[in-house]
Amino acid sequence: MTESTFIHRYEPARDAGSPPLLLLHGTGGDENDLLGLGKMISPGSALLSPRGRVLEHGMPRFFRRLAEGVFDEDDVRKRALELGDFVAEAQQRYGIAAPVAVGFSNGANIAAALLLLKPEALTGAILLRAMVPLSDASKAELGGKPVLLLSGQADPIVPASNSARLAALLSESGARVDHKVLPAGHQLSQADVTLARNWIGNVDAKAA
């Protein structure tokens, strides 16, 4: 793999019919953080889990931010394209199809940016506590890609208006968006796991 390589973990599929998952951690996480979540959501899937390459006070992230909720959008674009290159190389290296992204917080934001900037990198996405990643994002051609957006009603970081705007942006770009607002904050809950597992099961069945 080339200079776009990320430190990452890869676990092969245990069920060839399950979609591979691209696991994208939140701020301060690493390549190990979401492996357990991936196994709960889709036990048979191959798991590809990179570590963000930007450090904020020593904590890994997938792109720079200027303040809480204020993103360095030039960096978002650059890092999303780097991640797309990494995914393409991993597909060749490990012999997997384009994955479904499962992103939490900062990881969900880079997944949303990847959908908008390089949609061919993903077959769909589960976005957990995501925000609009780019204020001037042009509509992508998402061609019916399935997206599950799970927001927290009491999330102190992501305003309800922002997650609603992200749902609208992805829908207008052609994604099939299922947006649910849960009685939760920014942290994940059992409801997130259950909804994600059921959703990916339905996506899997439709693909089959």
Side-chain angles (χ1 to χ4, degrees), residues 45-187:
S45 290
L47 304 176
L48 178 64
S49 184
R51 182 193 302 178
R53 293 165 61 174
V54 173
L55 289 179
E56 181 182 273
H57 306 301
M59 298 185 296
R61 285 174 52 85
F62 285 98
F63 59 83
R64 291 181 61 235
R65 62 182 169 185
L66 306 177
E68 186 78 69
V70 182
F71 304 152
D72 180 337
E73 296 195 10
D74 288 340
D75 199 56
V76 172
R77 292 177 184 278
K78 173 186 172 185
R79 302 295 179 176
L81 294 176
E82 286 179 353
L83 183 61
D85 289 343
F86 165 73
V87 171
E89 291 166 5
Q91 283 183 251
Q92 291 190 329
R93 178 176 178 178
Y94 297 119
I96 57 174
V100 173
V102 179
F104 168 63
S105 192
N106 178 248
N109 297 337
I110 197 71
L114 187 56
L115 276 171
L116 294 167
L117 296 172
K118 202 166 185 174
E120 68 276 11
L122 301 173
T123 58
I126 297 172
L127 306 177
L128 306 165
R129 312 298 186 266
M131 298 179 69
V132 175
L134 295 164
S135 60
D136 61 345
S138 54
K139 289 181 187 176
E141 295 295 331
L142 295 181
K145 288 184 192 291
V147 176
L148 177 63
L149 176 59
L150 298 179
S151 304
Q153 189 174 33
D155 192 330
I157 296 173
V158 184
S161 59
N162 191 291
S163 53
R165 192 151 46 92
L166 176 59
L169 175 62
L170 293 171
S171 295
E172 290 163 7
S173 297
R176 289 187 287 114
V177 179
D178 186 359
H179 183 203
K180 297 187 184 304
V181 181
L182 308 181
H186 196 67
Q187 296 306 309

